[in-house]
Amino acid sequence: MRSVIVDCAIYRDGARTEGPADFSDALDEARASGDAFLWIGLHEPTEKEFELVTSEFGLHPLAVEDALCAHQRPKLEVYDDSLFLVLKPVQYDEKAGSVTAGELMVFVGDSFVVTVRHGEANPLGSVRDRLEKMPEVLQHGPTAVMYAVSDAVVDHYLDVADALHGDLEGLETEVFAPNAGAGQNTAGRIYAFKREVMEFRRSAGPLGEPMERLTGAGVPFVHEGSRPFFRDVSDHLTRVNEHVEGLDRLLSDILSAHLAQMGVRQNDDMRKISAWAAMAAVPTMIAGIYGMNFTHMPELRQPWGYPAVIVLMGGVIALLYRWFKRRGWL
């Protein structure tokens, strides 16, 4: 069990205090004091490792199943003995151009907070350190932890959205460069970028409804004074979702513009090919006529007949080249 417990501490009057090493005894102490709560953080526990936590904290079986299996959408579930919040923190690898989402489950109940983390995206270490320097926030109890975790996840969404926007501007510049598409799979890169934005959207979009619920009344285990804080998180999340929708629309527009651009270039190439084919057809036709085995043909016996035909071919080609050049085909 020690291998999955990242941290375990009792907080009293907004300050971290020393407590029993066993989290069961620590929970009893926190509940006995009345003004304290226990915060225990777990990283990817197995079902067997989580059994003791489930029994001690009285967590609902459905919430426990979601916490163990992961792969959940962001949501807020209200049970008799606890709240269950699912968050999906994301991280963006700018070198690889990939968005990866982790999962973060928060159980809030009577005098306890249990956080369960899956994946590498981890805002909890910095959140705990920051909260321990803000006793006036921690005095609000377990709700303060839920707010701080949500705020950290959403703030990082803003950073990821800005990074995606910066890379999208670079991609847009490449797409509309004069030599764009030469030896590059531009459409594939745009589509791959769109998939990363979609992964980000799946993490941030569904979180709006849980944050809206936390800003209203009637949600148990949530301190009444925390509503303005959750409203601030909800506002930031709205900005993120609007930003992501803008990125998705811009990517669709860039892809459409790129396909139209490729169609125009193909038309230009076809016109050039047609122009060269037309110029090649004239000497081919004349040479084909004089290649036929007839005795009586114009100028066949004249000494100047061959040069005259060559000059005729060159003259017609020159006229066609000039005409195509004027029309912009070459």
Side-chain angles (χ1 to χ4, degrees):
M1 190 64 194
R2 287 290 176 185
S3 61
V4 300
I5 296 179
V6 179
D7 200 351
C8 179
I10 295 177
Y11 295 88
R12 183 178 288 107
D13 292 329
R16 180 169 181 149
T17 61
E18 294 297 330
D22 184 82
F23 69 83
S24 300
D25 296 335
L27 178 61
D28 292 338
E29 181 178 319
R31 283 175 170 168
S33 65
D35 61 348
F37 69 92
L38 175 68
W39 180 4
I40 178 173
L42 307 175
H43 179 233
E44 297 183 354
T46 64
E47 183 177 357
K48 187 175 181 180
E49 290 169 334
F50 205 54
E51 281 180 357
L52 182 59
V53 177
T54 303
S55 60
E56 288 294 332
F57 290 87
L59 305 180
H60 196 278
L62 293 177
V64 171
E65 181 181 353
D66 290 344
L68 291 174
C69 297
H71 305 295
Q72 303 295 316
R73 295 175 75 253
K75 62 180 181 179
L76 176 67
E77 299 286 353
V78 179
Y79 298 104
D80 293 336
D81 299 323
S82 63
L83 280 180
F84 178 59
L85 176 66
V86 179
L87 302 163
K88 292 183 75 70
V90 299
Q91 59 182 5
Y92 179 53
D93 187 345
E94 296 189 35
K95 292 183 179 179
S98 62
V99 174
T100 55
E103 293 203 27
L104 184 56
M105 288 75 171
V106 183
F107 294 88
V108 172
D110 178 24
S111 302
F112 72 85
V113 179
V114 178
T115 54
V116 182
R117 178 170 61 90
H118 294 267
E120 297 303 318
N122 177 26
L124 292 182
S126 59
V127 168
R128 192 183 285 262
D129 292 340
R130 189 169 72 250
L131 274 178
E132 289 178 356
K133 298 175 183 176
M134 302 168 64
E136 69 281 2
V137 177
L138 271 175
Q139 284 178 352
H140 289 88
T143 306
V145 177
M146 179 181 283
Y147 154 71
V149 171
S150 304
D151 186 55
V153 170
V154 172
D155 282 349
H156 191 60
Y157 283 168
L158 290 169
D159 296 336
V160 172
D162 290 339
L164 284 170
H165 187 78
D167 286 354
L168 181 57
E169 287 180 347
L171 180 60
E172 184 179 18
T173 301
E174 292 180 22
V175 167
F176 293 103
N179 60 343
Q184 300 176 3
N185 183 20
T186 306
R189 292 175 59 208
I190 296 173
Y191 185 73
F193 201 103
K194 194 174 180 67
R195 286 185 63 87
E196 300 306 324
V197 171
M198 186 181 299
E199 178 69 22
F200 185 20
R201 194 172 188 174
R202 279 199 294 259
S203 300
L207 187 58
E209 190 269 340
M211 289 298 108
E212 282 292 326
R213 289 178 63 189
L214 288 170
T215 61
V219 181
F221 306 107
V222 175
H223 193 280
E224 197 165 325
S226 65
R227 291 180 198 168
F229 297 96
F230 283 112
R231 192 174 298 117
D232 181 66
V233 176
S234 182
D235 291 342
H236 288 178
L237 184 61
T238 300
R239 285 175 49 199
V240 169
N241 288 328
E242 289 175 351
H243 201 162
V244 173
E245 287 179 10
L247 291 175
D248 189 57
R249 286 196 301 268
L250 185 57
L251 275 168
S252 298
D253 293 342
I254 291 174
L255 182 58
S256 299
H258 171 68
L259 295 177
Q261 194 177 44
M262 294 299 295
V264 170
R265 286 175 181 167
Q266 288 176 353
N267 288 338
D268 289 341
D269 293 340
M270 288 302 298
R271 285 192 299 179
K272 290 178 182 179
I273 292 171
S274 300
W276 287 110
M279 288 189 292
V282 173
T284 301
M285 180 186 67
I286 296 174
I289 291 173
Y290 276 90
M292 293 187 293
N293 296 321
F294 291 104
T295 301
H296 302 288
M297 293 188 70
E299 319 304 339
L300 192 60
R301 303 292 180 179
Q302 298 297 329
W304 45 267
Y306 178 76
V309 171
I310 296 298
V311 170
L312 176 64
M313 291 180 182
V316 173
I317 291 173
L319 288 173
L320 287 173
Y321 180 83
R322 186 176 179 185
W323 186 66
F324 287 137
K325 196 76 172 174
R326 271 187 187 176
R327 294 179 62 87
W329 285 37
L330 292 174

